Amino acid sequence: MSRVGKKPIEKPQGVKAEVKQSVIEVKGPKGELSYTFPEGIKVSISDDKIFVERGSDSKVDRALHGLARSLISNMVSGVSQGYTKVLEITGVGYRAQVKGNKINFTLGYSHPIEFELPAGVTAKIDEKQTTITLNCIDKQLLGQVAANIRELRAPDAYKGKGIRYAGQRIKLKAGKTGKK
């Protein structure tokens, strides 16, 4: 039995879940999300708990059991609390500005980069224009957007300049030594 899959998911107050055929819809104060779970997985709701069970002990069903439970759990916590990712911009002259649903980056290239945020993702930038805070109810979408932004200028291995996740440590390489 999957250790993750057999744990019931607690539903906080204000969150409503509904199962229709092979789709679970979760609604909360922050928004609503839906997930189509695989055929071998059964989802049931009773009182304030959501249970995820599998139909057989096949290798595929065992693999999908814990995954389905984790995704549904992320949906429940997303619609109740939401998720946040923080990115830091390091480098002289590197900065970002938010205009509507777009972020304008100056990252040392010959041109500014305009990054359009998908629906549901919001961004805030501090007054120094070097810290980006992304908010979303969908954990997977938020992680992908943060990875796409980081990809615009990944941290350099020699000076550490670029966009990194908050708290991420970059191991810097030693540069070349001068001739004697």
Side-chain angles (χ1 to χ4, degrees), residues 1-110:
M1 192 80 183
S2 169
R3 291 182 187 174
V4 173
K6 68 182 177 182
K7 287 199 278 187
I9 302 166
E10 299 286 333
K11 258 191 335 180
Q13 252 184 345
V15 175
K16 295 175 184 163
E18 188 177 346
V19 178
K20 297 177 184 173
Q21 293 176 354
S22 65
V23 177
I24 182 167
E25 294 176 349
V26 181
K27 297 177 184 173
K30 297 252 183 193
E32 60 182 79
L33 294 170
S34 64
Y35 169 63
T36 305
F37 48 88
E39 289 181 25
I41 305 297
K42 297 177 189 131
V43 178
S44 59
I45 302 170
S46 64
D47 298 331
D48 288 344
K49 294 185 180 180
I50 301 172
F51 296 95
V52 180
E53 300 160 358
R54 65 175 182 245
S56 69
D57 276 344
S58 71
K59 190 172 185 176
V60 173
D61 285 350
R62 286 191 320 234
L64 294 175
H65 187 200
L67 172 71
R69 191 251 179 223
S70 293
L71 292 175
I72 295 170
S73 175
N74 289 343
M75 288 169 46
V76 169
S77 59
V79 297
S80 61
Q81 302 162 359
Y83 290 102
T84 302
K85 280 255 190 206
V86 179
L87 298 168
E88 297 171 347
I89 302 173
T90 308
V92 177
Y94 290 16
R95 64 180 181 273
Q97 298 168 333
V98 173
K99 291 184 181 172
N101 68 336
K102 295 181 181 178
I103 304 175
N104 292 326
F105 289 99
T106 305
L107 298 173
Y109 295 119
S110 62

